[in-house]
PDB file of all heavy atoms in Angstrom:
ATOM      1  N   LEU A  32     -32.858  -1.432  21.238  1.00 26.00           N
ATOM      2  CA  LEU A  32     -31.961  -0.284  21.083  1.00 26.00           C
ATOM      3  C   LEU A  32     -32.656   0.920  20.476  1.00 26.00           C
ATOM      4  O   LEU A  32     -32.661   2.004  21.036  1.00 26.00           O
ATOM      5  CB  LEU A  32     -30.749  -0.654  20.224  1.00 26.00           C
ATOM      6  CG  LEU A  32     -29.847   0.534  19.846  1.00 26.00           C
ATOM      7  CD1 LEU A  32     -29.309   1.213  21.086  1.00 26.00           C
ATOM      8  CD2 LEU A  32     -28.707   0.090  18.962  1.00 26.00           C
ATOM      9  N   HIS A 110      -1.996 -13.380  28.370  1.00 98.00           N
ATOM     10  CA  HIS A 110      -3.413 -13.657  28.073  1.00 98.00           C
ATOM     11  C   HIS A 110      -3.680 -15.168  28.057  1.00 98.00           C
ATOM     12  O   HIS A 110      -4.713 -15.625  28.543  1.00 98.00           O
ATOM     13  CB  HIS A 110      -3.812 -13.051  26.724  1.00 98.00           C
ATOM     14  CG  HIS A 110      -3.764 -11.546  26.698  1.00 98.00           C
ATOM     15  ND1 HIS A 110      -3.781 -10.823  25.527  1.00 98.00           N
ATOM     16  CD2 HIS A 110      -3.698 -10.634  27.697  1.00 98.00           C
ATOM     17  CE1 HIS A 110      -3.725  -9.526  25.807  1.00 98.00           C
ATOM     18  NE2 HIS A 110      -3.663  -9.384  27.123  1.00 98.00           N
ATOM     19  N   GLN A 188     -10.671  -5.695  28.956  1.00 98.00           N
ATOM     20  CA  GLN A 188      -9.298  -5.272  29.249  1.00 98.00           C
ATOM     21  C   GLN A 188      -8.292  -5.953  28.324  1.00 98.00           C
ATOM     22  O   GLN A 188      -7.220  -5.404  28.067  1.00 98.00           O
ATOM     23  CB  GLN A 188      -8.957  -5.556  30.712  1.00 98.00           C
ATOM     24  CG  GLN A 188      -9.693  -4.635  31.688  1.00 98.00           C
ATOM     25  CD  GLN A 188      -9.436  -5.042  33.130  1.00 98.00           C
ATOM     26  OE1 GLN A 188     -10.045  -5.992  33.628  1.00 98.00           O
ATOM     27  NE2 GLN A 188      -8.523  -4.357  33.791  1.00 98.00           N
ATOM     28  N   GLN A 256     -13.778   4.725  10.220  1.00 98.00           N
ATOM     29  CA  GLN A 256     -12.609   4.603  11.106  1.00 98.00           C
ATOM     30  C   GLN A 256     -13.009   4.697  12.576  1.00 98.00           C
ATOM     31  O   GLN A 256     -12.386   4.082  13.440  1.00 98.00           O
ATOM     32  CB  GLN A 256     -11.617   5.744  10.818  1.00 98.00           C
ATOM     33  CG  GLN A 256     -10.881   5.644   9.500  1.00 98.00           C
ATOM     34  CD  GLN A 256     -10.183   6.956   9.149  1.00 98.00           C
ATOM     35  OE1 GLN A 256     -10.330   7.969   9.855  1.00 98.00           O
ATOM     36  NE2 GLN A 256      -9.426   6.955   8.065  1.00 98.00           N
ATOM     37  N   ALA A 257     -14.038   5.490  12.847  1.00 98.00           N
ATOM     38  CA  ALA A 257     -14.391   5.818  14.228  1.00 98.00           C
ATOM     39  C   ALA A 257     -15.030   4.654  14.979  1.00 98.00           C
ATOM     40  O   ALA A 257     -15.198   4.726  16.199  1.00 98.00           O
ATOM     41  CB  ALA A 257     -15.314   7.041  14.249  1.00 98.00           C
ATOM     42  N   ASP A 259     -14.986   0.296  15.225  1.00 98.00           N
ATOM     43  CA  ASP A 259     -14.534  -1.026  14.804  1.00 98.00           C
ATOM     44  C   ASP A 259     -15.750  -1.952  14.795  1.00 98.00           C
ATOM     45  O   ASP A 259     -16.706  -1.736  15.540  1.00 98.00           O
ATOM     46  CB  ASP A 259     -13.488  -1.571  15.776  1.00 98.00           C
ATOM     47  CG  ASP A 259     -12.104  -0.971  15.533  1.00 98.00           C
ATOM     48  OD1 ASP A 259     -11.836  -0.536  14.400  1.00 98.00           O
ATOM     49  OD2 ASP A 259     -11.303  -0.941  16.480  1.00 98.00           O
ATOM     50  N   GLU A 260     -15.699  -2.961  13.971  1.00 98.00           N
ATOM     51  CA  GLU A 260     -16.829  -3.872  13.842  1.00 98.00           C
ATOM     52  C   GLU A 260     -16.517  -5.228  14.479  1.00 98.00           C
ATOM     53  O   GLU A 260     -15.361  -5.547  14.738  1.00 98.00           O
ATOM     54  CB  GLU A 260     -17.183  -4.053  12.365  1.00 98.00           C
ATOM     55  CG  GLU A 260     -17.582  -2.753  11.675  1.00 98.00           C
ATOM     56  CD  GLU A 260     -18.809  -2.098  12.315  1.00 98.00           C
ATOM     57  OE1 GLU A 260     -19.759  -2.821  12.665  1.00 98.00           O
ATOM     58  OE2 GLU A 260     -18.807  -0.856  12.482  1.00 98.00           O
TER      59      GLU A 260
ATOM     60  N   HIS B 107     -12.987  11.535  14.599  1.00 98.00           N
ATOM     61  CA  HIS B 107     -13.557  10.384  15.291  1.00 98.00           C
ATOM     62  C   HIS B 107     -14.286  10.809  16.561  1.00 98.00           C
ATOM     63  O   HIS B 107     -15.387  10.338  16.855  1.00 98.00           O
ATOM     64  CB  HIS B 107     -12.466   9.370  15.655  1.00 98.00           C
ATOM     65  CG  HIS B 107     -11.689   8.853  14.480  1.00 98.00           C
ATOM     66  ND1 HIS B 107     -10.519   8.145  14.617  1.00 98.00           N
ATOM     67  CD2 HIS B 107     -11.914   8.956  13.139  1.00 98.00           C
ATOM     68  CE1 HIS B 107     -10.051   7.824  13.408  1.00 98.00           C
ATOM     69  NE2 HIS B 107     -10.881   8.309  12.501  1.00 98.00           N
ATOM     70  N   HIS B 111     -18.160  10.453  17.599  1.00 98.00           N
ATOM     71  CA  HIS B 111     -18.633   9.752  18.800  1.00 98.00           C
ATOM     72  C   HIS B 111     -19.579  10.645  19.607  1.00 98.00           C
ATOM     73  O   HIS B 111     -20.609  10.203  20.088  1.00 98.00           O
ATOM     74  CB  HIS B 111     -17.450   9.341  19.682  1.00 98.00           C
ATOM     75  CG  HIS B 111     -16.566   8.295  19.075  1.00 98.00           C
ATOM     76  ND1 HIS B 111     -15.306   8.029  19.560  1.00 98.00           N
ATOM     77  CD2 HIS B 111     -16.754   7.461  18.029  1.00 98.00           C
ATOM     78  CE1 HIS B 111     -14.755   7.055  18.839  1.00 98.00           C
ATOM     79  NE2 HIS B 111     -15.609   6.709  17.901  1.00 98.00           N
ATOM     80  N   ASN B 122     -33.712   7.722  22.331  1.00 95.00           N
ATOM     81  CA  ASN B 122     -34.170   6.679  23.254  1.00 95.00           C
ATOM     82  C   ASN B 122     -34.623   7.172  24.622  1.00 95.00           C
ATOM     83  O   ASN B 122     -35.198   6.399  25.389  1.00 95.00           O
ATOM     84  CB  ASN B 122     -33.059   5.645  23.446  1.00 95.00           C
ATOM     85  CG  ASN B 122     -32.814   4.827  22.191  1.00 95.00           C
ATOM     86  OD1 ASN B 122     -33.586   3.936  21.874  1.00 95.00           O
ATOM     87  ND2 ASN B 122     -31.772   5.178  21.449  1.00 95.00           N
ATOM     88  N   TYR B 175     -26.004  -1.892  23.123  1.00 96.00           N
ATOM     89  CA  TYR B 175     -25.208  -0.762  23.619  1.00 96.00           C
ATOM     90  C   TYR B 175     -23.799  -1.218  23.977  1.00 96.00           C
ATOM     91  O   TYR B 175     -22.812  -0.507  23.750  1.00 96.00           O
ATOM     92  CB  TYR B 175     -25.849  -0.137  24.861  1.00 96.00           C
ATOM     93  CG  TYR B 175     -27.113   0.647  24.604  1.00 96.00           C
ATOM     94  CD1 TYR B 175     -28.186   0.580  25.486  1.00 96.00           C
ATOM     95  CD2 TYR B 175     -27.235   1.479  23.497  1.00 96.00           C
ATOM     96  CE1 TYR B 175     -29.355   1.297  25.276  1.00 96.00           C
ATOM     97  CE2 TYR B 175     -28.380   2.202  23.272  1.00 96.00           C
ATOM     98  CZ  TYR B 175     -29.452   2.111  24.163  1.00 96.00           C
ATOM     99  OH  TYR B 175     -30.578   2.820  23.943  1.00 96.00           O
ATOM    100  N   LYS B 181     -17.224  -1.122  20.066  1.00 98.00           N
ATOM    101  CA  LYS B 181     -16.762  -0.595  18.774  1.00 98.00           C
ATOM    102  C   LYS B 181     -15.993   0.707  18.962  1.00 98.00           C
ATOM    103  O   LYS B 181     -15.113   1.039  18.179  1.00 98.00           O
ATOM    104  CB  LYS B 181     -17.960  -0.323  17.858  1.00 98.00           C
ATOM    105  CG  LYS B 181     -18.679  -1.565  17.375  1.00 98.00           C
ATOM    106  CD  LYS B 181     -19.909  -1.168  16.566  1.00 98.00           C
ATOM    107  CE  LYS B 181     -20.592  -2.403  15.986  1.00 98.00           C
ATOM    108  NZ  LYS B 181     -21.332  -2.072  14.755  1.00 98.00           N
ATOM    109  N   SER B 184     -12.279   0.249  21.258  1.00 98.00           N
ATOM    110  CA  SER B 184     -11.085  -0.238  20.558  1.00 98.00           C
ATOM    111  C   SER B 184     -10.489   0.863  19.686  1.00 98.00           C
ATOM    112  O   SER B 184      -9.274   0.895  19.458  1.00 98.00           O
ATOM    113  CB  SER B 184     -11.385  -1.498  19.739  1.00 98.00           C
ATOM    114  OG  SER B 184     -12.446  -1.293  18.841  1.00 98.00           O
ATOM    115  N   GLY B 218      -1.249  -8.764  31.321  1.00 98.00           N
ATOM    116  CA  GLY B 218      -1.487  -8.285  29.964  1.00 98.00           C
ATOM    117  C   GLY B 218      -2.800  -7.544  29.830  1.00 98.00           C
ATOM    118  O   GLY B 218      -3.366  -7.472  28.738  1.00 98.00           O
ATOM    119  N   ASP B 220      -5.349  -4.142  30.157  1.00 98.00           N
ATOM    120  CA  ASP B 220      -5.469  -2.697  30.178  1.00 98.00           C
ATOM    121  C   ASP B 220      -6.220  -2.302  31.451  1.00 98.00           C
ATOM    122  O   ASP B 220      -6.731  -3.151  32.187  1.00 98.00           O
ATOM    123  CB  ASP B 220      -6.268  -2.253  28.940  1.00 98.00           C
ATOM    124  CG  ASP B 220      -5.702  -0.996  28.289  1.00 98.00           C
ATOM    125  OD1 ASP B 220      -5.269  -0.096  29.029  1.00 98.00           O
ATOM    126  OD2 ASP B 220      -5.716  -0.923  27.051  1.00 98.00           O
TER     127      ASP B 220
END
Side-chain angles (χ1 to χ4, degrees):
Chain A
L32 172 59
H110 295 165
Q188 289 174 281
Q256 289 167 355
D259 281 335
E260 299 300 319
Chain B
H107 302 167
H111 293 164
N122 291 284
Y175 288 141
K181 291 176 176 207
S184 55
D220 221 321

